[in-house]
Amino acid sequence: MENRILLALCAAMFFLGSWWVPVTDPTENCYALTAKEMLAAGDYFSPRIYGDYWYDKPILFYWELLLSYKIFGVNEFAARFFPAVFATLGVFLTKFFAGKMFNRKVGFAAAVILATMPEYWYIAHAIITDMTLFCALSSTLMFFYFGWAERKNSYIYAAFATSGVAVLTKGPIGFFLPGLIILLFLLSQRDLKFLLKMPLARGLGILLAIASIWYVPMYFMHGAKFLEEFLGVHNFLRATVSEHPQFNVWYYYILVFLIGTAPWSLPVLYSTLKHLRFPQLDSRRRFLIIWAVTVFVVFQSFATKYPTYTFPYMMPLAILFAGFFVERQILFRRMAAAMAVVLVIFTFAAIPICSRNSGKAAAEIILPLVDAQTCVVSYSNAYPGSLVFYSGLKVYRLEETARIAKLKPHEMSWTAVNVMPFMDFKDLPKDKKIIAVVTDKVAWKFFDLTQGSWQLVAELPDWKIYRRD
């Protein structure tokens, strides 16, 4: 009965309406478009975008998208299918882990709490790597704990294998983050000698064998450029130089925690602070707390901050919260029902919001106007990659000469993400029809920097589409 309830909850929370939510900018389009270009090229190994190789993330999530595109076609449901699948898997992993660690009631409550947390609901719909990483990292730590508690090497081998999957999903963090959590837990238990009992050589061999499926061939195919961009820019630089400095503040992840876990965290925090009752820290709770706190502290120390980075702490938090709510069944049921209804409503409310941040509507307007003699350009503060995804057209990022020199990729710089095609204003073709997609905020500058007579084709909430014959 409990499994049926969870399946129904996951279907409503993660799958329902996903086929109506368009691919958005500035993040989802990168994954959706990369897989689309890989599929078109018949290259299932080297990620590529805008016609060039792209070393932002490892291969596993792209493989998921490619498989989904093969089954369902290139569309929104296909792009959002595997995040929803792994979200469902994460719910059942939580039920299994908490149930085995504590009891069946805690397992079921933890699974429901996790499924109805706003951040989990969001990432279950998002076309990003984080839900796959969540399952891989959580499995690594879950298997380690069972291996430590039961002294079984089979669990330890499984932990290394799932860590290898995490490395294929997001990179070195898939090994180093769970490794740090495990080390801190063993220190807290005064049990570092367990490391000597672990089959480290064989375990690392399993991890490396899984990771090498992609990393070794990529190095031989693409050489130093792959290492420089993947390890240098997208891993080392991400930790040391903020991509979005405005978010690099001490309270950033506190806000993410409060919003992402609401309302479940609020009664727990209130009761704890009011009565100053802290649960006895046996090895189970100590492991969960070290897991959650380490994730928070590690990513707080990173220069680049994203709301999804601390996501791996959601499982231990859900299990810890469940220990509070199993003793308050009426409150638990009311909150779970309310959050399920609210988040389903949010799914449909997100459709117009996502549409405003997507190039889907612009693509539908532009495609009938384009022929072989048409040049499509975009002038805005953010390049609309989703317009390329939906239209299949080459869309130039229109900029002034000085801006192009500044924005084009440089070594060990965040400009490495600017791999879209550029065009200088002075190079706008005079012998072709031009379609320009321009945001309202910079429209005045666009007309100052261009010549000729522009015809307004369509107005969208944040964009205007112009044509020059």
Side-chain angles (χ1 to χ4, degrees):
M1 182 64 178
E2 288 179 349
N3 287 342
R4 291 179 182 177
I5 292 172
L6 289 177
L7 280 173
L9 180 64
C10 291
M13 299 288 293
F14 310 145
F15 290 92
L16 183 64
S18 62
W19 50 87
W20 287 322
V21 183
V23 175
T24 63
D25 296 308
T27 304
E28 289 187 333
N29 71 83
C30 293
Y31 296 105
L33 180 58
T34 296
K36 182 181 179 182
E37 292 197 19
M38 291 174 71
L39 183 64
D43 182 352
Y44 303 148
F45 218 82
S46 300
R48 59 179 70 203
I49 193 168
Y50 310 122
D52 292 321
Y53 292 120
W54 172 241
Y55 309 117
D56 179 40
K57 292 293 186 295
I59 196 62
L60 188 58
F61 186 61
Y62 297 124
W63 280 344
E64 294 170 20
L65 287 169
L66 286 164
L67 177 60
S68 194
Y69 286 169
K70 283 280 192 179
I71 298 171
F72 303 111
V74 181
N75 55 56
E76 292 91 347
F77 178 77
R80 300 188 189 280
F81 178 73
F82 273 103
V85 167
F86 278 97
T88 303
L89 175 61
V91 168
F92 280 90
L93 282 173
T94 301
K95 177 179 180 289
F96 170 71
F97 185 35
K100 189 174 174 66
M101 184 181 260
F102 292 96
N103 57 58
R104 182 182 60 81
K105 286 186 177 180
V106 172
F108 178 70
V112 172
I113 289 169
L114 182 68
T116 53
M117 283 183 177
E119 186 174 1
Y120 199 82
W121 165 85
Y122 162 66
I123 296 179
H125 293 84
I127 310 168
I128 53 178
T129 60
D130 293 82
M131 192 58 80
T132 304
L133 180 69
F134 173 86
C135 289
L137 275 180
S138 298
S139 297
T140 299
L141 292 164
M142 178 182 72
F143 285 129
F144 161 78
Y145 183 82
F146 292 153
W148 173 81
E150 300 178 23
R151 292 310 200 253
K152 289 185 177 179
N153 282 345
S154 57
Y155 284 125
I156 301 300
Y157 291 137
F160 276 105
T162 49
S163 179
V165 173
V167 171
L168 275 180
T169 304
K170 199 104 175 187
I173 196 73
F175 170 73
F176 288 112
L177 181 59
L180 177 60
I181 293 167
I182 289 167
L183 179 61
L184 293 174
F185 171 70
L186 292 176
L187 279 170
S188 75
Q189 292 292 118
R190 297 183 176 87
D191 193 17
L192 281 177
K193 62 181 180 295
F194 181 73
L195 291 174
L196 301 177
K197 300 176 182 178
M198 288 173 60
L200 289 176
R202 290 182 181 178
L204 287 170
I206 292 171
L207 188 156
L208 291 172
I210 292 172
S212 66
I213 291 171
W214 182 72
Y215 286 90
V216 172
M218 280 294 288
Y219 174 72
F220 282 109
M221 286 190 293
H222 302 285
K225 184 173 176 60
F226 164 65
L227 293 180
E228 178 189 317
E229 292 194 16
F230 177 75
L231 293 177
V233 174
H234 296 290
N235 285 272
F236 177 76
L237 198 66
R238 195 174 298 275
T240 57
V241 179
S242 180
E243 185 178 2
H244 307 288
Q246 69 272 26
F247 298 139
N248 192 14
V249 292
W250 66 268
Y251 54 84
Y252 182 81
Y253 286 123
I254 295 175
L255 295 178
V256 170
F257 165 78
L258 293 173
I259 296 170
T261 61
W264 296 105
S265 60
L266 301 181
V268 179
L269 293 174
Y270 174 77
S271 179
T272 301
L273 293 173
K274 181 179 179 180
H275 303 290
L276 294 177
R277 293 176 184 171
F278 298 93
Q280 182 180 357
L281 292 185
D282 56 19
S283 63
R284 300 169 300 177
R285 292 181 177 85
R286 183 178 290 116
F287 181 68
L288 295 171
I289 290 171
I290 289 173
W291 177 348
V293 171
T294 302
V295 171
F296 184 94
V297 171
V298 165
F299 288 109
Q300 177 61 36
S301 68
F302 276 26
T304 297
K305 292 179 171 58
Y306 282 115
T308 60
Y309 275 3
T310 51
F311 187 57
Y313 67 16
M314 298 293 276
M315 181 184 285
L317 289 178
I319 297 171
L320 290 167
F321 294 167
F324 174 88
F325 281 101
V326 290
E327 299 175 0
R328 299 163 176 84
Q329 282 295 309
I330 294 176
L331 177 63
F332 167 70
R333 290 170 185 166
R334 288 176 177 174
M335 288 180 64
M339 285 305 296
V341 171
V342 167
L343 292 176
V344 168
I345 292 172
F346 277 7
T347 299
F348 292 95
I351 295 171
I353 297 172
C354 292
S355 296
R356 291 194 63 155
N357 291 280
S358 174
K360 183 176 183 178
E364 292 171 349
I365 294 168
I366 289 171
L367 279 172
L369 306 175
V370 171
D371 57 30
Q373 297 302 311
T374 303
C375 175
V376 181
V377 299
S378 166
Y379 187 56
S380 66
N381 295 323
Y383 180 77
S386 60
L387 174 60
V388 182
F389 173 79
Y390 282 108
S391 69
L393 300 171
K394 185 171 187 177
V395 180
Y396 292 93
R397 178 173 178 173
L398 200 58
E399 295 286 354
E400 298 174 80
T401 305
R403 284 276 294 168
I404 291 176
K406 183 179 179 181
L407 291 172
K408 275 199 167 182
H410 300 90
E411 290 185 2
M412 285 302 291
S413 162
W414 278 118
T415 57
V417 302
N418 297 329
V419 293
M420 68 287 293
F422 283 85
M423 179 177 285
D424 199 314
F425 273 97
K426 63 183 177 60
D427 294 328
L428 277 170
K430 296 181 173 58
D431 58 345
K432 287 186 177 183
K433 179 172 62 179
I434 300 174
I435 300 291
V437 183
V438 183
T439 55
D440 291 337
K441 292 181 180 179
V442 295
W444 62 273
K445 193 172 184 180
F446 171 79
F447 290 112
D448 283 348
L449 293 169
T450 57
Q451 298 176 350
S453 177
W454 292 92
Q455 175 189 353
L456 178 63
V457 173
E459 290 189 61
L460 297 171
D462 296 314
W463 298 84
K464 286 186 173 64
I465 299 173
Y466 297 97
R467 173 177 174 173
R468 193 182 79 182
D469 294 324

